[in-house]
């Protein structure tokens, strides 16, 4: 995800990528910065989903039918805000909105 708040931690993380490492509640999470620093009590409302640009990048699907499945980006359309991804386990093509997908940074068997 990307921090989109200029005032969070005095702006040190503004427009910077961070990884979500724990969900505390529906509104708060713990993140890790690219330098490895742990950021606690991060409000969800100051974060924006990062969607990889390159085809073949891994994402996690968040829509109700494919929740938590890992997939590979086949196509991304910024105009319609849609991603076509192929699930790793079923090899099934799925079209989801930008809000229903996020970059996956964990390990995955392809």
């Amino acid at each position: 995800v990307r921090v989109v708040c200029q005032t969070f931690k005095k702006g040190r993380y503004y427009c910077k990528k961070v990884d979500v490492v724990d969900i505390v509640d529906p509104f708060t999470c713990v993140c890790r910065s690219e330098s490895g620093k742990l950021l606690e009590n991060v409000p969800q409302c100051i974060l924006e989903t990062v969607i990889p640009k390159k085809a073949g990048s891994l994402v996690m699907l968040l829509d109700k039918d494919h929740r938590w499945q890992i997939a590979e980006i086949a196509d991304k359309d910024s105009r319609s805000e849609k991603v076509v991804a192929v699930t790793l386990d079923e090899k099934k093509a799925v079209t989801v909105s930008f809000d229903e997908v996020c970059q996956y940074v964990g390990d995955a068997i392809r």
Side-chain angles (χ1 to χ4, degrees), residues 2-48:
R2 181 178 293 117
V3 177
V4 294
C5 178
Q6 294 179 351
T7 58
F8 178 71
K9 301 286 184 182
K10 298 182 180 176
R12 277 178 279 185
Y13 299 100
Y14 179 63
C15 286
K16 303 285 187 203
K17 283 186 184 179
V18 295
D19 294 332
V20 175
V21 294
D22 191 19
I23 308 289
V24 177
D25 60 43
F27 309 103
T28 312
C29 62
V30 177
C31 296
R32 185 178 317 278
S33 71
E34 289 181 320
S35 66
K37 183 169 174 72
L38 211 57
L39 308 171
E40 296 185 7
N41 299 315
V42 180
Q44 174 271 334
C45 63
I46 69 161
L47 301 174
E48 147 185 288

Side-chain angles (χ1 to χ4, degrees), residues 51-103:
I51 300 172
K53 294 178 181 165
K54 292 170 52 175
S57 297
L58 293 179
V59 292
M60 180 179 284
L61 302 175
L62 306 172
D63 67 306
K64 66 178 181 173
D65 296 328
H66 306 95
R67 186 159 294 169
W68 313 128
Q69 288 189 38
I70 308 303
E72 203 172 88
I73 290 183
D75 189 31
K76 175 181 167 183
D77 184 352
S78 296
R79 179 169 284 157
S80 67
E81 296 188 352
K82 298 279 186 189
V83 170
V84 177
V86 178
T87 59
L88 294 185
D89 57 350
E90 299 172 343
K91 303 295 185 215
K92 179 180 173 185
V94 177
T95 301
V96 293
S97 73
F98 279 9
D99 290 336
E100 297 173 318
V101 66
C102 65
Q103 182 177 22

